[in-house]
């Protein structure tokens, strides 16, 4: 009986592990990405069933005006203007549809404090078309993001 | 190595625990500390990936996708030169223009937007109406023609930005325009279309600066000319001051109050060649026809641009309109000729305009 329970447990854990580690098409968005301007790196993570991207690297970490770490000073919400940009979540609420697209999300531009509707399209495993737009996708701009290698864990 | 009951329970709790954590809504700003130094030196997964100079620099004013504006020039005097045709001789005449005003609608839509190539296609419709103080007193055919007919511009253009690497780029612009005293219900012949082209080579040494030099075939001076171009866009490190210069077309100093309010001071050189006499009359006599107004004006101005809501911005400009050219050439069959700054070809009509104040207001849908 003990052996049967152990066997069932093993199969159960194996199944869960397999499903956890097999990358779903949607999870290909997870990773570190560099926008075309090269001024930042964005880490995309999955939280619940949605995808979010936060700034994890800035070419210019400090605000030249204050000498302090850059904050989200252009945010229309005054309470957010003291929040550090590094660590800031600029991609929010993306859901995988199909055809290599993640939709229903928004992208935030810290340089002007605007939030745009956004569609993410994976054109190949290492390239994203990030289209921020206003109302309808025609009135928008597409930026190409490239996948970066995952950082090695520090010892 | 089979798992025990205790391990099974632990595994199950761990698994369900992970699911529970994953369902937590963490859309707020990340609070937890992370060692960000691990992201300092990361290579592209695709080693063939190249970085390219972005089209914009930091702090530059937002690009306008759609503009609907109204342009108004105050009172000034227009002097039309004398000329003679088979029908008669027409004396020089000076008349007061109450106002010159019109609607200006433009659209500029990016059709290709990649890191390695940006292509934008644009269209515009401009209308210029002349309102003379005393229309009944007009005798010179140029003045009566302007009183009776608007000048209309319909144009198509395309701008191509091609970065070569991280800090070097090429910029091209082509435009085709139909300018004249025609009506939208009866366009003039396409053979009178006017074509402009510009090509620049530039550098973007930092996120705050880009410059370029180039050459243009342009009608901004009224008649066709080949003019060197200098671009210099710059933003100060504190993001407050900057320049947006594409000389000689325009040049402005920018002061950024905040990312939603901007002030500019500078100039614009505005001009084109307008076919006149489309509706017949003295300006289309057999020996005095095929005429084009070489209109060019310098506008010294202050501009205030601010976000109204979301992506809708309002722009208000006011300044002084200085007439550079309003002479008329005879351009047979629309075949353009080159006079340049030093050519000695005579004008068919030499005219003069005094200089009024002007204002322009527009509502704009800006680009992300």
């Amino acid at each position: 009986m003990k052996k049967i329970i152990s066997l069932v447990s093993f199969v159960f854990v194996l199944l869960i592990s397999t499903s956890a580690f097999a990358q779903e098409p949607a999870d290909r968005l997870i990773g570190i990405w560099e926008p075309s301007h090269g001024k930042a790196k964005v880490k995309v993570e999955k939280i619940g069933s949605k995808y979010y991207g936060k700034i994890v690297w800035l070419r210019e970490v400090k605000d030249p005006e204050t000498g302090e770490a850059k904050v989200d000073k252009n945010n229309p919400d005054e309470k957010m203007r003291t929040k550090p940009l590094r660590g800031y979540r600029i991609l929010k609420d993306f859901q995988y549809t199909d055809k290599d697209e993640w939709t229903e999300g928004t992208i935030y531009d810290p340089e002007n404090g605007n939030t745009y509707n956004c569609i993410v399209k994976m054109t190949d495993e290492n390239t994203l078309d990030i289209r921020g737009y206003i109302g309808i996708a025609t009135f928008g701009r597409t930026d190409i993001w490239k996948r970066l290698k995952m950082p090695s864990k520090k010892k | 190595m089979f798992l025990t009951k205790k391990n099974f329970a632990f595994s199950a709790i761990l698994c369900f625990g992970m699911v529970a954590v994953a369902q937590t809504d963490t859309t707020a700003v990340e609070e937890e500390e992370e060692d960000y130094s691990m992201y300092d030196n990361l290579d592209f997964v695709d080693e063939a990936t190249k970085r390219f100079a972005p089209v914009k620099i930091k702090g530059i004013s937002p690009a306008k996708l759609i503009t609907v504006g109204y342009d108004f020039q105050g009172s000034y005097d227009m002097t039309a030169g004398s000329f003679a045709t088979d029908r008669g001789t027409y004396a020089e005449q000076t008349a007061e223009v109450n106002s010159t005003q019109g609607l200006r609608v433009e659209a500029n839509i990016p059709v290709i937007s990649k890191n390695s190539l940006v292509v934008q296609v644009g269209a515009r419709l401009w209308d210029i109406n002349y309102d003379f103080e005393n229309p009944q007193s007009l005798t010179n055919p140029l003045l009566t023609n302007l009183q009776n007919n608007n000048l209309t511009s319909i144009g198509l253009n395309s701008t191509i930005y091609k970065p070569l690497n991280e800090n070097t780029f090429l910029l091209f612009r082509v435009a085709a325009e139909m300018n004249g005293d025609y009506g939208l219900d009866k366009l003039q012949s396409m053979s009178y279309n006017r074509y402009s082209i510009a090509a620049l080579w530039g550098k973007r040494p930092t996120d705050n600066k880009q410059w370029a030099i180039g050459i243009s075939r342009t009608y901004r001076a009224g008649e066709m000319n080949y003019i060197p171009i200098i671009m210099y866009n710059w933003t100060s490190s504190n993001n407050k001051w900057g320049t947006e210069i594409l000389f000689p077309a325009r040049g402005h100093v920018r002061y950024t109050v905040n990312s939603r309010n901007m002030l500019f001071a500078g100039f614009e050189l505005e001009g084109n060649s307008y076919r006149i006499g489309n509706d017949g009359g003295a300006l289309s006599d057999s020996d005095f026809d095929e005429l084009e107004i070489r209109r060019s004006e310098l506008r010294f101005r202050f501009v205030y641009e601010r976000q109204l809501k979301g992506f809708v911005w309002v722009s208000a400009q006011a300044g002084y309109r200085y007439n550079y050219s309003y002479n008329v050439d005879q351009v047979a069959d629309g075949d353009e000729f080159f006079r340049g700054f030093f050519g000695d070809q005579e004008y068919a009509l030499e005219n003069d305009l005094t200089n009024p104040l002007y204002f322009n207001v527009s509502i704009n849908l800006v680009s992300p």
Side-chain angles (χ1 to χ4, degrees):
Chain A
M1 184 61 186
K2 194 174 180 181
K3 280 189 177 177
I4 292 171
I5 291 172
S6 297
L7 181 62
V8 169
S9 304
F10 176 74
V11 171
F12 182 76
V13 170
L14 187 69
L15 284 173
I16 287 178
S17 304
T18 306
S19 63
F21 288 106
Q23 196 180 35
E24 295 175 20
D27 289 348
R28 291 172 299 154
L29 190 59
I30 293 169
I32 318 289
W33 300 89
E34 182 176 301
S36 68
H37 54 61
K39 292 189 287 187
K41 295 168 186 169
V42 177
K43 182 180 182 180
V44 175
E45 303 162 302
K46 187 176 185 181
I47 300 171
S49 60
K50 297 181 180 177
Y51 297 85
Y52 299 81
K54 68 177 180 181
I55 297 171
V56 291
W57 181 89
L58 289 166
R59 182 190 293 160
E60 196 177 48
V61 179
K62 291 186 176 177
D63 187 329
E65 200 172 359
T66 63
E68 303 292 324
K70 276 189 173 176
V71 293
D72 186 23
K73 62 183 180 185
N74 293 319
N75 199 306
D77 182 352
E78 277 188 35
K79 293 196 292 283
M80 300 297 282
R81 291 179 188 166
T82 54
K83 299 289 181 187
L85 270 188
R86 196 166 60 177
Y88 204 95
R89 207 154 261 151
I90 60 168
L91 296 178
K92 285 184 180 177
D93 298 327
F94 284 87
Q95 298 179 63
Y96 185 69
T97 50
D98 57 3
K99 299 175 185 174
D100 299 326
E101 277 191 358
W102 289 258
T103 59
E104 308 296 323
T106 59
I107 186 166
Y108 175 73
D109 183 353
E111 292 201 349
N112 56 28
N114 287 326
T115 301
Y116 305 93
N117 298 114
C118 186
I119 295 172
V120 175
K121 186 171 179 62
M122 184 172 277
T123 53
D124 65 52
E125 289 298 312
N126 302 314
T127 308
L128 299 178
D129 280 7
I130 305 276
R131 183 153 188 87
Y133 63 95
I134 308 156
I136 56 173
T138 306
F139 300 122
R141 185 169 67 85
T142 301
D143 196 37
I144 313 292
W145 291 19
K146 290 288 185 177
R147 191 190 292 275
L148 296 163
K149 290 177 179 170
M150 293 297 282
S152 53
K153 297 285 181 191
K154 288 200 168 180
K155 291 176 184 174
Chain B
M1 290 208 13
F2 293 122
L3 297 176
T4 63
K5 270 192 280 190
K6 191 175 174 183
N7 285 345
F8 169 75
F10 176 74
S11 303
I13 289 167
L14 186 66
C15 289
F16 287 114
M18 285 167 68
V19 171
V21 168
Q23 286 177 340
T24 305
D25 181 11
T26 56
T27 56
V29 175
E30 189 71 17
E31 299 288 355
E32 69 195 48
E33 281 298 320
E34 187 170 354
D35 178 13
Y36 290 112
S37 65
M38 77 171 99
Y39 303 106
D40 282 349
N41 299 302
L42 301 181
D43 296 321
F44 288 118
V45 173
D46 179 358
E47 291 173 358
T49 300
K50 286 176 67 179
R51 290 187 174 92
F52 293 102
V55 65
K56 295 197 295 186
I57 65 162
K58 182 182 170 187
I60 203 158
S61 58
K64 298 175 177 73
L65 296 174
I66 295 178
T67 296
V68 179
Y70 178 72
D71 193 83
F72 181 93
Q73 295 183 11
S75 175
Y76 61 94
D77 290 340
M78 179 183 289
T79 301
S82 61
F83 65 96
T85 73
D86 290 343
R87 289 193 204 184
T89 300
Y90 303 96
E92 176 182 296
Q93 184 179 20
T94 298
E96 184 180 353
V97 182
N98 280 333
S99 65
T100 301
Q101 83 299 126
L103 194 68
R104 296 182 169 195
V105 181
E106 296 182 42
N108 291 288
I109 308 297
V111 291
I112 299 175
S113 186
K114 297 180 178 178
N115 296 4
S116 57
L117 180 69
V118 178
V119 178
Q120 184 171 282
V121 173
R124 72 167 183 153
L125 171 63
W126 283 18
D127 183 35
I128 305 175
N129 299 284
Y130 293 86
D131 174 30
F132 285 85
E133 166 67 16
N134 192 357
Q136 295 80 11
S137 68
L138 300 177
T139 54
N140 187 293
L142 176 65
L143 302 181
T144 52
N145 188 75
L146 291 172
Q147 170 65 33
N148 297 332
N149 302 289
N150 304 343
L151 295 183
T152 303
S153 289
I154 298 174
L156 293 173
N157 64 71
S158 180
T159 305
I160 300 164
Y161 174 82
K162 173 65 186 166
L164 302 176
N165 53 43
E166 274 187 83
N167 53 23
T168 308
F169 64 88
L170 300 173
L171 189 62
F172 303 98
R173 188 174 190 279
V174 292
E177 301 207 319
M178 181 185 283
N179 311 303
D181 61 357
Y182 60 88
L184 291 177
D185 55 339
K186 190 181 179 187
L187 303 180
Q188 68 188 26
S189 166
M190 298 275 278
S191 62
Y192 305 139
N193 286 359
R194 293 289 168 248
Y195 301 94
S196 304
I197 186 165
L200 295 102
W201 172 90
K203 287 280 188 183
R204 188 183 186 281
T206 69
D207 292 335
N208 290 48
K209 186 196 294 181
Q210 66 182 171
W211 59 265
I213 53 173
I215 187 82
S216 65
R217 180 191 194 271
T218 179
Y219 284 85
R220 285 193 179 265
E223 55 205 66
M224 190 270 285
N225 209 335
Y226 297 96
I227 299 178
I229 312 172
I230 297 172
M231 171 199 267
Y232 189 80
N233 294 330
W234 165 80
T235 300
S236 65
S237 58
N238 66 6
N239 216 25
K240 284 293 180 190
W241 292 94
T243 61
E244 296 185 14
I245 297 169
L246 187 64
F247 186 85
R250 66 188 74 88
H252 293 95
V253 173
R254 179 187 69 243
Y255 177 72
T256 303
V257 181
N258 56 46
S259 62
R260 293 172 179 77
N261 288 273
M262 293 178 174
L263 287 164
F264 303 83
F267 72 92
E268 172 141 27
L269 177 63
E270 180 182 303
N272 227 317
S273 188
Y274 296 81
R275 189 90 183 170
I276 54 173
N278 278 301
D279 68 344
L283 296 178
S284 59
D285 276 1
S286 58
D287 60 341
F288 197 74
D289 61 355
E290 311 258 39
L291 301 176
E292 296 196 14
I293 298 175
R294 311 298 205 172
R295 172 181 166 270
S296 175
E297 53 196 43
L298 263 168
R299 294 172 164 223
F300 300 99
R301 62 194 187 183
F302 292 98
V303 184
Y304 176 55
E305 295 189 350
R306 71 161 292 153
Q307 183 185 41
L308 274 186
K309 187 174 174 61
F311 312 105
V312 180
W313 281 55
V314 64
S315 173
Q317 55 176 279
Y320 181 72
R321 191 275 282 145
Y322 175 80
N323 176 56
Y324 177 74
S325 169
Y326 207 82
N327 295 331
V328 172
D329 269 325
Q330 221 167 351
V331 188
D333 299 324
D335 292 336
E336 191 53 273
F337 64 90
F338 175 63
R339 177 187 283 115
F341 294 114
F342 308 108
D344 57 2
Q345 296 98 323
E346 287 191 4
Y347 290 100
L349 264 180
E350 292 196 15
N351 311 305
D352 190 37
L353 277 58
T354 58
N355 303 307
L357 299 176
Y358 87 99
F359 72 82
N360 181 303
V361 290
S362 64
I363 298 287
N364 305 278
L365 187 66
V366 303
S367 170

